[in-house]
Amino acid sequence: MSVDINLDQLFPFKLDDFQIEAIEHLQRGESVVVCAPTGSGKTVIAEFAVELALRSGKRCYYTTPLKALSNQKFGDLKKKYGENNVGLLTGDISINRDAGVVVMTTEVFRNMLYGTHMGDVNRNMASVSSVILDECHYMNDAERGTVWEESIIYCPENIQLVALSATVANAGELTSWIDQTHGPTKLVLSDFRPVPLRFYYFGHSQLTPLLHSGGGLNGKLKSLFGKKHDRFNKHARRKMEPLPDPREVLNALNAKEMLPAIYFLFSRRGCENQMKACGELGLLDRNEQQTLKRAIDELVEANANLKTHPHINHLYKGVAVHHAGMLPSWKVTVEKLFQRGLIKAVFATETLAAGINMPARTTVISAISKRSDEGHRNLRASEFLQMSGRAGRRGMDTVGHVVILRHPFEHIDDVAKLATAKADPLSSQFTPSYGMVLNLLQRHNIQEAKELIERSFGQFVMNQELEPLFEEKMTFESELEHLSKPLCPGELGDLAWYKRQIDQHNAKNKQIKAIKRGGGGKHQMEDLAVAIHTLEKEASDIMDLAKKMPCYQCPVQKPCSKQADRVRTLTNKLKELNRIADREIGKYWRTFDSLANILRLQGYLNADTVTDLGKMAAAIRATNELFISEVVLSGVLKPLKVHEFAAVLTALVTEESRPEDVSSAKIDPNVEIALERVAKIGRKVFLMQRDFNIDIPVEFSPLFCGLSQMWCTGATWEQIRLATYHDEGIVVRALRRTIDLCRQIAVAPNSPQEIADMAVTCERLMARDEVREDY
């Protein structure tokens, strides 16, 4: 791209070296992977890529992992380039999709590359010269990481990729993969933070620097907290100090002018309890109170649901909660107020660390361990870095503060180790799915599909890990070839057979000696004599056969025997190495092939051609697209009324299951009958998958069915709130996922017309108030 851009005019500040390096690569037409700490200024590189595309008369796609981030970026770019030049695509919202720069979630970009129901790929990518993959470290996400890999694999090679990532250990490996898979790609690394971090430890009601100037643990803390407690020792537990009081922590921070702060905890209830404890701290001065009150009143006037929110009184006092269970409109309210500096402390779960741009002066990390699907474990380095990286606001703070709280079961050495740990590596989450099979086979033949599958980051990493194995295999094969030359000077004999004969001959002689040593009476001696005679005859016959072999009295028999043993050992080792290689090299393709076989059995594929049923299923986006499609096609939805239809779809998109639904919303009998049929369909899919060694979850839950019925029949949000003890944000998520499935069914080609019409009606009734997604 020969476009001259004056950087001094474009950016009214001095660029850092890593920013300049990345920009130079982009000007040469190369793709880049930029790995730098949170808040270091990676956005500058993305802004240059946008500018480069627009000034070249081309288009640019800006992808983010979350709708909230897409909405935020859409707003930022609109301010700079104007509404007519910026578009937004988030699956349910489509604004100006042919604009010069279009912001979208990464899932939407991946779906555009599939084409099919998202439109022709050539049209989708018309005039697009670059794609920004923001927050590329999301490749590590267990549920959604595969989307980033697929996007890179399927992206046309003429597109310039701008992958922006937080610090990861294997950035070079990621860059090499993109370079090999997509095209020339350069790595730009930086550990520079424009706002440096300082780490503190809060214990015994004191805030103490965690590290000394050399980077090691502060000796004062070592002497105070260096002894390990035994959590199973009753006497030790009685002596332990309680966990730090959040009021004490915030007062200490306020006294040192270290607010505003994000206070990270690892449970939603913990966040709410801590916030309530801090409601009367008086962190705001009179002017701040008045400014905050005016701002909240304006937001409440725009959304009446906020007025009755149980946390509204705490919000007026400058403290708030932010977690996935909060009402989305409430989270947006907290974010806006915090970004304006009007909230002094937000108690949040770690989801905020990976979410929108919401930096603070200080982050408080309440523990360095948490409960997870793997049980109770210490935080990983990257998790800690994500949370600590929220500290320090560029242009506002000269230093960011990270405060780790004293915990009786967490040793101070482990805290220091985590604070100085390097980032974790990215690992592949690439996962073939039914949707992947159907979408790829609509645009590619089976061999092309296989080549695409084998280009995954997971396969690339596996191939690198297998390199020592291949080297060992080549060494063994070379030695085996050398040993294949016989040592025998004359006729080649079967040494293995000869050795077996000699072994048998020696065994017979041992038996004879044993019998002779045993002795016995007269009659016994007669029987033993017969036995000895028989054994001697057998031994003699065996030796006669052995003597006829070329190996008998051969001068190189001993080295030849060693050679044969080595050949046998090498052959066995090569078999094992080949077994390992075959298992690992073909892992993803075997899964793809098994999924394709299931789809053939169910009529979604005819040989390698996608059928009309398959085209419908390809438009479904779910954990298990086959299960959803089988339900849609089964007729189970056909007799239902629209609110019953909504309830069943909600069950299909709800994977969370609990022993009881603490809700006063009852499920209609027709829904219960339908769910019984859904369970049978699920059982059939599960058994079929088991036969093909496929482990894709087949899950549904009636947890929110009653609430879905209520919402579809016109209930207010206040009525929903009063009908359940579930967190509002989780209920909204279930209802929004229901609406999303309605949209998919409605636009899916070959979807049964009655079902598609019902889906359109259901979406219209449910997409309102808190559940409707606005940008």
Side-chain angles (χ1 to χ4, degrees):
M1 298 179 184
S2 56
V3 177
D4 186 28
I5 298 177
N6 188 314
L7 297 181
D8 293 331
Q9 292 179 354
L10 185 60
F11 302 109
F13 49 82
K14 187 177 185 300
L15 296 182
D16 298 324
D17 289 345
F18 84 95
Q19 294 168 330
I20 294 171
E21 181 186 351
I23 285 170
E24 289 174 350
H25 288 309
L26 292 177
Q27 288 177 316
R28 288 196 290 268
E30 297 163 330
S31 295
V32 291
V33 172
V34 182
C35 282
T38 301
S40 60
K42 295 187 290 292
T43 304
V44 164
I45 298 158
E47 290 173 357
F48 179 83
V50 171
E51 197 74 29
L52 189 61
L54 295 180
R55 293 198 189 187
S56 304
K58 300 291 185 179
R59 301 171 65 224
C60 175
Y61 285 165
Y62 198 119
T63 77
T64 80
L66 303 170
K67 289 181 181 179
L69 278 171
S70 291
N71 294 339
Q72 191 177 61
K73 184 56 62 176
F74 177 59
D76 294 344
L77 291 171
K78 273 200 308 179
K79 290 176 186 175
K80 184 168 185 177
Y81 295 106
E83 288 193 15
N84 293 334
N85 296 314
V86 183
L88 176 68
L89 287 173
T90 59
D92 46 6
I93 295 172
S94 178
I95 300 171
N96 202 11
R97 67 175 289 167
D98 294 321
V101 53
V102 183
V103 184
M104 63 189 71
T105 55
T106 317
E107 279 92 344
V108 168
F109 177 60
R110 187 274 312 271
N111 294 339
M112 290 176 75
L113 294 173
Y114 276 145
T116 60
H117 68 287
M118 287 290 293
D120 180 70
V121 175
N122 292 329
R123 180 189 178 282
N124 289 337
M125 303 304 293
S127 301
V128 176
S129 63
S130 58
V131 173
I132 297 157
L133 297 169
D134 204 358
E135 308 286 347
C136 198
H137 51 271
Y138 261 75
M139 276 179 65
N140 254 353
D141 187 88
E143 291 184 13
R144 300 167 58 228
T146 184
V147 172
W148 274 258
E149 287 190 57
E150 292 176 58
S151 297
I152 292 166
I153 292 167
Y154 307 149
C155 186
E157 293 182 5
N158 64 306
I159 302 291
Q160 192 174 40
L161 294 179
V162 183
L164 307 179
S165 171
T167 307
V168 295
N170 57 341
E173 196 171 46
L174 174 64
T175 306
S176 296
W177 171 65
I178 297 177
D179 185 82
Q180 178 179 304
T181 302
H182 181 75
T185 305
K186 302 300 181 182
L187 173 63
V188 177
L189 281 174
S190 174
D191 58 4
F192 171 72
R193 278 191 61 95
V195 182
L197 297 180
R198 288 182 187 162
F199 294 90
Y200 300 87
Y201 192 69
F202 191 92
H204 294 343
S205 303
Q206 292 184 349
L207 193 64
T208 309
L210 175 67
L211 307 172
H212 60 62
S213 57
L217 176 62
N218 184 340
K220 180 181 177 182
L221 292 176
K222 182 76 171 177
S223 61
L224 282 172
F225 304 108
K227 293 181 180 179
K228 290 193 175 182
H229 290 291
D230 180 359
R231 68 168 67 196
F232 302 109
N233 185 314
K234 290 189 290 185
H235 301 291
R237 292 177 71 173
R238 277 201 295 270
K239 295 176 185 176
M240 284 181 195
E241 63 174 291
L243 294 172
D245 188 316
R247 293 167 294 191
E248 202 173 39
V249 175
L250 291 185
N251 278 331
L253 296 179
N254 195 30
K256 293 181 178 292
E257 297 185 345
M258 292 168 66
L259 296 179
I262 300 174
Y263 199 120
F264 285 109
L265 298 112
F266 298 102
S267 78
R268 298 171 192 166
R269 291 293 167 261
C271 289
E272 297 186 18
N273 292 337
Q274 302 272 39
M275 177 201 68
K276 291 171 183 176
C278 297
E280 303 300 328
L281 285 182
L283 300 174
L284 301 168
D285 62 30
R286 183 178 294 276
N287 288 335
E288 289 172 331
Q289 286 176 353
Q290 292 175 348
T291 304
L292 177 59
K293 184 179 184 305
R294 285 195 299 271
I296 295 173
D297 289 346
E298 289 174 8
L299 292 167
V300 168
E301 188 176 348
N303 186 339
N305 289 325
L306 301 179
K307 189 174 185 178
T308 57
H309 196 282
H311 295 172
I312 189 70
N313 290 332
H314 294 89
L315 192 65
Y316 278 110
K317 293 170 183 176
V319 292
V321 163
H322 192 292
H323 59 63
M326 303 305 296
L327 199 63
S329 61
W330 182 261
K331 284 199 294 184
V332 170
T333 298
V334 171
E335 290 160 9
K336 287 179 178 178
L337 295 173
F338 192 82
Q339 286 164 352
R340 291 174 59 183
L342 300 177
I343 301 291
K344 294 298 182 181
V346 171
F347 296 87
T349 57
E350 61 183 317
T351 53
L352 179 60
I356 64 156
N357 181 27
M358 194 169 146
R361 179 168 293 168
T362 299
T363 58
V364 179
I365 300 175
S366 61
I368 62 163
S369 61
K370 66 173 186 176
R371 295 190 184 279
S372 71
D373 293 340
E374 308 158 35
H376 199 87
R377 63 167 176 81
N378 281 347
L379 295 177
R380 296 189 176 97
S382 291
E383 293 170 332
F384 183 86
L385 284 169
Q386 280 289 324
M387 287 185 280
S388 60
R390 288 291 171 186
R393 300 165 298 178
R394 190 167 191 172
M396 298 177 68
D397 301 318
T398 56
V399 66
H401 308 286
V402 182
V403 178
I404 302 103
L405 302 187
R406 160 88 170 138
H407 194 291
F409 300 145
E410 296 172 353
H411 197 260
I412 186 67
D413 287 337
D414 295 330
V415 174
K417 183 179 178 182
L418 192 57
T420 55
K422 300 296 183 183
D424 299 314
L426 285 179
S427 57
S428 174
Q429 304 297 335
F430 186 74
T431 310
S433 65
Y434 293 110
M436 183 189 292
V437 174
L438 293 168
N439 280 294
L440 284 182
L441 290 182
Q442 285 188 77
R443 295 190 58 236
H444 303 278
N445 62 42
I446 196 74
Q447 185 57 39
E448 290 170 339
K450 183 176 183 181
E451 290 171 3
L452 287 169
I453 295 301
E454 292 178 343
R455 287 165 60 185
S456 72
F457 182 55
Q459 193 63 68
F460 176 83
V461 172
M462 183 58 65
N463 290 345
Q464 288 196 320
E465 290 176 354
L466 289 174
E467 278 185 14
L469 181 145
F470 288 128
E471 290 175 4
E472 187 178 25
K473 184 170 175 284
M474 289 174 64
T475 301
F476 288 164
E477 287 172 339
S478 176
E479 185 181 355
L480 197 58
E481 183 180 1
H482 176 72
L483 293 175
S484 64
K485 299 171 184 176
L487 297 175
C488 299
E491 182 185 354
L492 188 63
D494 187 344
L495 181 60
W497 186 89
Y498 174 79
K499 288 182 68 177
R500 285 197 298 273
Q501 300 306 306
I502 297 300
D503 289 342
Q504 289 179 30
H505 177 267
N506 293 337
K508 299 290 183 184
N509 285 335
K510 284 183 180 179
Q511 285 180 276
I512 293 168
K513 290 178 181 178
I515 292 171
K516 288 180 177 179
R517 283 198 302 269
K522 181 180 180 182
H523 294 295
Q524 282 183 314
M525 291 299 291
E526 291 176 356
D527 293 337
L528 292 175
V530 172
I532 290 171
H533 177 74
T534 302
L535 288 169
E536 287 175 340
K537 179 70 170 62
E538 291 173 355
S540 177
D541 291 342
I542 291 170
M543 182 52 70
D544 288 343
L545 283 172
K547 288 178 179 179
K548 293 177 181 178
M549 286 288 296
C551 300
Y552 179 67
Q553 293 186 336
C554 176
V556 293
Q557 186 189 120
K558 191 170 184 179
C560 192
S561 177
K562 288 183 178 179
Q563 184 187 55
D565 290 341
R566 181 60 179 163
V567 167
R568 187 161 49 251
T569 299
L570 289 173
T571 302
N572 290 335
K573 284 186 176 181
L574 282 170
K575 283 181 181 177
E576 177 61 15
L577 292 178
N578 285 328
R579 187 189 66 78
I580 295 170
D582 290 344
R583 182 189 67 204
E584 299 299 339
I585 289 175
K587 180 172 69 173
Y588 297 111
W589 177 247
R590 280 196 300 275
T591 300
F592 186 99
D593 192 44
S594 294
L595 292 168
N597 284 330
I598 293 172
L599 291 167
R600 291 183 186 104
L601 279 177
Q602 295 305 108
Y604 294 85
L605 286 177
N606 181 7
D608 297 330
T609 302
V610 180
T611 64
D612 286 346
L613 294 183
K615 290 175 183 176
M616 187 214 78
I620 302 297
R621 300 184 302 278
T623 302
N624 194 315
E625 302 91 344
L626 176 63
F627 175 44
I628 302 286
S629 300
E630 289 288 281
V631 171
V632 170
L633 296 169
S634 68
V636 67
L637 301 173
K638 200 171 182 180
L640 300 178
K641 296 175 182 176
V642 66
H643 66 282
E644 297 167 341
F645 177 88
V648 174
L649 260 56
T650 300
L652 292 175
V653 298
T654 305
E655 296 158 7
E656 186 175 1
S657 187
R658 299 176 190 175
E660 72 284 331
D661 179 9
V662 283
S663 168
S664 61
K666 302 302 179 187
I667 301 174
D668 286 359
N670 286 341
V671 175
E672 292 180 343
I673 294 169
L675 292 180
E676 288 177 6
R677 292 184 62 188
V678 168
K680 291 179 181 178
I681 294 169
R683 178 68 177 167
K684 176 186 173 186
V685 172
F686 171 79
L687 292 174
M688 195 161 32
Q689 290 186 167
R690 188 178 66 182
D691 291 342
F692 284 88
N693 200 27
I694 291 295
D695 187 26
I696 297 177
V698 184
E699 297 175 335
F700 71 99
S701 169
L703 193 63
F704 300 118
C705 289
L707 298 174
S708 183
Q709 285 182 180
M710 285 180 62
W711 189 248
C712 194
T713 52
T716 65
W717 190 254
E718 186 64 18
Q719 288 172 321
I720 294 291
R721 179 185 286 163
L722 295 173
T724 181
Y725 291 108
H726 291 302
D727 289 336
E728 292 176 276
I730 303 304
V731 176
V732 169
R733 180 171 180 264
L735 298 181
R736 285 181 174 178
R737 292 182 73 182
T738 302
I739 293 170
D740 190 39
L741 182 55
C742 283
R743 292 187 179 120
Q744 294 172 41
I745 293 171
V747 302
N750 310 308
S751 187
Q753 192 59 50
E754 290 180 64
I755 304 301
D757 292 343
M758 184 82 77
V760 171
T761 303
C762 185
E763 178 195 348
R764 178 173 51 80
L765 293 172
M766 296 186 72
R768 58 186 175 86
D769 198 20
E770 288 293 344
V771 179
R772 183 183 66 244
E773 292 199 60
D774 296 319
Y775 64 90

